[in-house]
Amino acid sequence: MSRPHPAVPPRVDPALRAALEAELDAAVALRHALHRDPRLSGDEADSRDLVLAALADALPPGTTPQPVADTGALLRLGPAPGEGPPAVAVRAELDALPVVERTGLPFSATGGVAHVCGHDVHVAALVAVVRALARVGAARLPAPVLAVFQPREEKAPSGAADVVAEPAFTAHGVGAVLGVHVQPELPRGTVSVRGGPVNASADEIEIEVHGRGGHGGYPHRTRDPVLALAQIVCGVHHVVSRRVDPMTAGVVTVGQVQAGSAPNVVPESASARGTVRALDASRDELLDAVREHVEGTAAAYGCTATLTVVPNEPAVVNDEALARTVATALGGRGAEDRVDGDGVDGEGTPTGLVLDTTFRSCGADDFSHYGDVLPSLMLFVGAAATGTTPGAGPGLHHPEFSPDDAMVGEVARALLASVAAAGAALAPPVTGSNPQPVPDTTPP
């Protein structure tokens, strides 16, 4: 972000805080409804309509949701584009995953689709924030706010890529985009904010090895594609250890292998599918190295191989200046930032959450597409079960993963404080003021 940042971002308006706390019970009920009846990527219209119905009675007269990316919706609060400072957009994902849930929750999904990535929590938290902002009125808004209820985060074609390309989004004069994700790799009660890469790029790869089939008792007459593929799968992981700087992060995973029709027949071909992820490593160089390994190993076994890359998401790269501003706001400034009377915050922070500035992972998210065109920031809120080691329990996409209901409030408070900080950073500087740069809280 090019604007100067206040050294101490303003605290969240107490009226906004109170309004948000008043919305959390209804937000938890909405979370249950979304969780109980989830929708896959591209089929989110019912979830979108449920969200808009939950917002309808709180919106100012004349506020009309806009469709976006087929099954998504945009909702703006505050002055019209061009009549105020740039807007702060906040993204939440509508879709679920093709997983049979095993959480045992009373509001558990019963089919083959489940919210096991926390999207229901994100959406419910954003609804609480939007309702709170709408209740206090335009005069108290920290900035114009554009809520983005986005489809198709989990499956291509990317909903985020479609959103940023649509005039319905670009017309809003957005100056910054915020996103949030629950994260079981982080301790409960933490919120992580840092600049730079925080999620990896993710591309799918398809490997096809062709040889000469034949009888299993006469292997010398064949050119065995199964053996060649086995060596490719074992060796491709060494591409990272020997072709990528050990001070950077990249990972190759082969998750699917297919070959043959009988135990005594050498088949004509064998195939595998996987992913290649790059956080700091060069995405293109890593893919090139994988291709060299696939083709060279196949040739060593008298076979040929092709590598097909299915491009997916680029890395999520948080804007450095926006990260510093939001981290300063979320880190708190003393007793005046305590949240009293609601059982949260014993640390003098505006959210009750402890600030972390180190976390990042080789997970992927299509939120990256917002960062390609605008300053963007992905927050992570700790979701490890209380008393457990982060990462030891069911993780994202696991059939038993489900954050508890209190996380709706934790995510909502983090979003509200972040909106206030981003809005202050985007506001025109006061005449005669001399804002100081924010100290850099991001590790080198």
Side-chain angles (χ1 to χ4, degrees), residues 20-343:
L20 180 64
E21 296 302 318
E23 295 292 343
L24 293 182
D25 286 345
V28 168
L30 174 62
R31 185 266 172 119
H32 290 184
L34 290 166
H35 193 100
R36 186 180 296 113
D37 193 19
R39 293 292 183 270
L40 288 174
S41 305
D43 187 35
E44 303 95 340
D46 290 341
S47 296
R48 175 202 61 203
D49 293 346
L50 186 62
V51 166
L52 295 179
L55 288 165
D57 67 307
L59 299 178
T63 304
T64 303
Q66 296 174 273
V68 71
D70 298 326
T71 53
L74 303 175
L75 188 66
R76 184 185 178 97
L77 297 175
E83 297 179 4
V88 176
V90 188
R91 189 285 299 262
E93 319 95 305
L94 292 166
D95 55 340
L97 286 156
V99 173
V100 177
E101 184 172 348
R102 297 202 308 260
T103 63
L105 292 169
F107 52 91
S108 176
T110 57
V113 182
H115 274 293
V116 290
C117 199
H119 292 183
D120 54 332
V121 173
H122 308 161
V123 170
L126 180 54
V127 167
V129 170
V130 172
R131 286 182 61 91
L133 293 169
R135 293 291 194 193
V136 301
R140 288 183 179 270
L141 291 183
V145 174
L146 182 68
V148 182
F149 296 102
Q150 181 205 300
R152 287 182 279 110
E153 191 280 323
E154 296 288 2
K155 185 178 179 181
S158 163
D162 286 351
V163 168
V164 299
E166 288 199 20
F169 177 81
T170 58
H172 281 282
V174 172
V177 187
L178 302 175
V180 67
H181 211 294
V182 296
Q183 179 48 261
E185 298 288 332
L186 280 170
R188 187 66 185 274
T190 59
V191 57
S192 184
V193 182
R194 63 169 291 157
V198 294
N199 270 167
S201 62
D203 298 300
E204 291 185 17
I205 57 171
E206 299 176 357
I207 302 167
E208 189 79 23
V209 181
H210 297 275
R212 182 193 304 156
H215 195 293
Y218 304 90
H220 59 295
R221 304 292 187 194
T222 72
R223 294 294 179 265
D224 192 345
V226 177
L227 181 59
L229 181 62
Q231 296 300 319
I232 288 170
V233 170
C234 289
V236 75
H237 303 286
H238 297 299
V239 169
V240 172
S241 68
R242 287 298 176 267
R243 295 289 294 274
V244 173
D245 185 336
M247 302 305 292
T248 63
V251 61
V252 179
T253 298
V254 177
Q256 189 175 34
V257 176
Q258 186 171 356
S261 58
N264 61 344
V265 176
V266 175
E268 294 282 342
S269 64
S271 63
R273 298 178 66 199
T275 60
V276 176
R277 298 168 184 264
L279 187 61
D280 305 295
S282 166
R283 182 183 186 184
D284 291 340
E285 290 180 7
L286 183 53
L287 288 169
D288 286 345
V290 169
R291 187 183 304 279
E292 289 177 15
H293 170 75
V294 168
E295 294 175 352
T297 303
Y301 286 84
C303 298
T304 60
T306 58
L307 177 74
T308 302
V309 177
V310 183
N312 204 333
E313 312 301 347
V316 175
V317 181
N318 281 346
D319 182 81
E320 297 279 0
L322 183 58
R324 288 195 294 271
T325 295
V326 171
T328 301
L330 292 178
R333 299 177 299 283
E336 77 276 10
D337 273 327
R338 295 183 187 276
V339 181
D340 297 319
D342 55 16

Side-chain angles (χ1 to χ4, degrees), residues 418-442:
S418 300
V419 167
L426 291 170
V430 178
T431 303
S433 67
N434 185 28
Q436 300 298 312
V438 176
D440 189 350
T441 61
T442 306

